């Protein structure tokens, strides 16, 4: 989309550190944040996140 981490964070109402943590797979977002991410990228949650099957 060409957005910076800060721009994405502002669009979905989280901090830039939250975006970094999600990108590095150190943090699983809450369901509301996951929905906002999917809406920002115009896709489904399943397209963004794959559940662990361990």
């Amino acid at each position: 989309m060409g957005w910076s981490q800060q721009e994405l964070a502002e669009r979905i109402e989280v901090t830039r550190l939250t975006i970094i943590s999600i990108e590095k797979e150190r943090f699983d977002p809450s369901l509301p944040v996951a929905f906002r991410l999917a809406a920002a990228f115009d896709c489904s949650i399943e397209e963004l996140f794959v559940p662990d099957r361990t």
Side-chain angles (χ1 to χ4, degrees):
M1 300 299 239
W3 300 327
S4 67
Q5 291 171 331
Q6 185 62 43
E7 286 176 290
L8 177 58
E10 289 170 5
R11 286 175 183 268
I12 67 165
E13 302 174 347
V14 297
T15 66
R16 182 175 164 268
L17 292 176
T18 298
I19 299 300
I20 292 167
S21 295
I22 292 169
E23 286 179 347
K24 294 184 181 275
E25 297 181 5
R26 294 182 186 152
F27 174 73
D28 291 326
S30 67
L31 198 50
V33 170
F35 273 111
R36 291 195 304 263
L37 274 168
F41 289 112
D42 194 29
C43 65
S44 69
I45 290 174
E46 293 83 4
E47 291 176 276
L48 291 176
F49 302 100
V50 178
D52 290 336
R53 301 212 180 239
T54 55

